[in-house]
Amino acid sequence: ADKYTLDEAIKFISSYSFDKPLCMVVDFINPHNICGFVGKNKGPHEPFSGPLPQLPENYEFDDIINRPTPVKYLCCSHVRQAQTVGWSDDNFREYLAAYYYYLSVADRYIGEIINRLENSKIKGDITYILLSDHGDSMAARGSVTKQVTLYEEVTRVPFIFSGALVKSRGIAKGICSTLDLFPTLLSLAGIERPNGLDGVDISQILTGNTLPKREYVTSE
């Protein structure tokens, strides 16, 4: 599916005249293919040969009795987690290796699109924004994929700005939400913000390293 998306995006870039401003969105599935990997390797099995990454420091999890009900019963309510019953430590390391592979596929495809845009007939500056809708448990607390829990691995996602207009470097201080994407795009495009819109404009991080002050953001 991602190869098709890549091909269509490159086809569009190659045929577009770029005689007016453009907001282009490319949605890749990966590393979401990790879900299918878990299903195909459910239950006890021999991991594939070759070097495997280390497990995270919070892989061991012996405090489930004190956790919220959805976490206690994750093994029964989430099909992918149920499919890991009987996995060894090396099976979880194999899962991480697969996750990193799917990330590398997405990284390569994103790089191809950036290269095409940089070599296109675009007049003016390009601003790139990379973000994800959710994270992955990545073997933290012996968990896989994303369901039910709101731990940091699942809720803290990439939100990266790059391009000629970005003058700041590093990680911006503060908190933000993916709801901030739309009002930020409006600001960058010089479009008036409609009333009642969720999220805040965080375009100031292009020239500084501080996000707008807020007490909290929510996730569900």
Side-chain angles (χ1 to χ4, degrees):
D2 279 350
K3 183 62 169 62
Y4 171 81
T5 301
L6 174 66
D7 291 344
E8 289 298 303
I10 289 177
K11 186 188 305 181
F12 175 83
I13 294 170
S14 301
S15 62
Y16 192 72
S17 63
F18 294 106
D19 55 351
K20 56 185 177 180
L22 170 70
C23 177
M24 180 178 181
V25 180
V26 183
D27 285 326
F28 287 127
I29 292 174
N30 272 306
H32 209 290
N33 279 348
I34 193 63
C35 294
F37 175 88
V38 173
K40 291 179 179 179
N41 294 277
K42 62 183 179 181
H45 64 277
E46 286 295 318
F48 53 71
S49 59
L52 295 172
Q54 294 299 310
L55 293 167
E57 293 183 0
N58 59 351
Y59 167 69
E60 298 290 345
F61 183 51
D62 59 2
D63 187 37
I64 197 166
I65 193 66
N66 295 315
R67 302 294 168 139
T69 300
V71 179
K72 289 181 183 179
Y73 296 99
L74 184 61
C75 62
C76 308
S77 64
H78 179 24
V79 62
R80 295 304 184 200
Q81 190 64 34
Q83 289 169 338
T84 68
V85 172
W87 273 16
S88 65
D89 291 354
D90 279 347
N91 289 148
F92 277 97
R93 293 174 66 201
E94 174 190 47
Y95 155 82
L96 276 180
Y99 185 76
Y100 295 148
Y101 167 75
Y102 295 130
L103 275 178
S104 73
V105 172
D107 182 68
R108 186 169 70 251
Y109 287 178
I110 291 166
E112 288 192 37
I113 289 177
I114 291 175
N115 286 336
R116 290 295 183 120
L117 286 169
E118 295 290 348
N119 292 298
S120 68
K121 297 178 181 178
I122 289 180
K123 302 178 182 68
D125 296 318
I126 309 172
T127 298
Y128 301 101
I129 305 176
L130 174 68
L131 73 160
S132 175
D133 56 340
H134 61 79
D136 185 277
S137 294
M138 297 182 67
R141 293 163 298 277
S143 296
V144 298
T145 72
K146 68 178 175 73
Q147 297 289 24
V148 180
T149 65
L150 286 173
Y151 289 112
E152 183 174 12
E153 292 84 3
V154 174
T155 58
R156 187 177 185 182
V157 299
F159 203 168
I160 301 170
F161 290 76
S162 182
L165 297 178
V166 181
K167 307 303 181 184
S168 61
R169 293 292 183 268
I171 300 175
K173 297 179 180 179
I175 53 177
C176 64
S177 163
T178 50
L179 286 174
D180 300 336
L181 175 64
F182 188 34
T184 301
L185 287 175
L186 293 176
S187 176
L188 293 175
I191 299 172
E192 185 177 353
R193 172 178 173 154
N195 294 327
L197 190 64
D198 291 326
V200 301
D201 172 18
I202 61 171
S203 60
Q204 66 190 57
I205 66 170
L206 273 64
T207 54
N209 238 1
T210 304
L211 289 157
K213 289 186 178 180
R214 66 214 301 185
E215 293 185 19
Y216 62 87
V217 293
T218 62
S219 183
E220 65 177 344

